[in-house]
């Protein structure tokens, strides 16, 4: 497979994932950036589960991330927990509802037909 074909396939998949994320999150009154924050908080560790960690991971401004976190907390999807040693630090944790929502929305519906043992990414993308 030629490089430009791989690029085109990846770009097309990215566009499809974004479209799917917009549709899915709208159903739950969320924005795609908020879904990305949930995904990050599901993967990160106790050293990076902070608003700063989310900000750096998403590459967004502190204000945007702060507003997104505030909405996720208000909707009961994320919980703010003070650090036990440093009261200036706040940790973010998915609630049971946040984990449930993430499980509903992940993995993408676009990936449902890919076999679990798929190894050749190029063949999978081309398929």
């Amino acid at each position: 497979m030629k490089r430009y074909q791989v690029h085109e396939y990846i770009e097309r998949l990215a566009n499809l994932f974004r479209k799917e994320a917009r549709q899915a999150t709208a159903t739950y009154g969320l924005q795609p950036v908020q879904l990305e924050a949930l995904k990050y908080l599901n993967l990160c560790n106790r050293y990076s589960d902070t608003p700063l960690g989310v900000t750096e991971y998403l590459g967004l401004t502190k204000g945007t991330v702060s507003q997104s976190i505030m909405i996720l907390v208000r909707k009961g999807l994320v919980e703010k927990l003070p650090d036990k040693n440093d009261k200036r630090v706040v940790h973010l944790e998915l609630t049971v509802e946040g984990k449930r929502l993430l499980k509903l929305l992940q993995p993408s519906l676009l990936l449902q037909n890919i076999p679990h043992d798929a190894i050749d990414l190029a063949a999978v993308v081309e398929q």
Side-chain angles (χ1 to χ4, degrees):
M1 178 177 287
K2 295 179 180 160
R3 286 184 192 168
Y4 71 88
Q5 285 177 309
V6 171
H7 179 278
E8 292 298 319
Y9 288 147
I10 291 172
E11 190 173 87
R12 178 66 179 137
L13 281 173
N15 287 333
L16 290 171
F17 285 142
R18 276 192 294 276
K19 177 183 174 192
E20 182 184 64
R22 280 191 304 273
Q23 291 170 340
T25 54
T27 302
Y28 297 97
L30 298 173
Q31 296 293 321
V33 66
Q34 294 155 351
L35 175 60
E36 293 302 314
L38 290 175
K39 286 195 261 184
Y40 171 74
L41 291 171
N42 192 50
L43 298 173
C44 67
N45 61 35
R46 64 187 175 128
Y47 301 106
S48 57
D49 64 353
T50 63
L52 180 60
V54 176
T55 301
E56 289 176 353
Y57 179 80
L58 296 178
L60 299 171
T61 65
K62 285 194 257 183
T64 299
V65 172
S66 176
Q67 291 298 312
S68 294
I69 290 170
M70 192 169 61
I71 290 167
L72 294 172
V73 168
R74 194 177 321 127
K75 290 184 174 283
L77 302 172
V78 171
E79 187 176 19
K80 287 183 174 183
L81 304 169
D83 187 271
K84 291 179 176 122
N85 299 320
D86 186 348
K87 299 301 179 196
R88 297 172 296 173
V89 177
V90 173
H91 295 278
L92 303 170
E93 187 175 293
L94 293 180
T95 63
V96 171
E97 183 64 21
K99 290 176 185 176
R100 185 193 67 74
L101 179 62
L102 199 55
K103 194 172 185 178
L104 282 173
L105 299 176
Q106 297 297 310
S108 167
L109 296 175
L110 297 170
L111 301 175
Q112 283 185 342
N113 295 326
I114 295 176
H116 291 290
D117 60 347
I119 296 172
D120 186 355
L121 179 61
V124 168
V125 171
E126 189 171 1
Q127 186 181 30

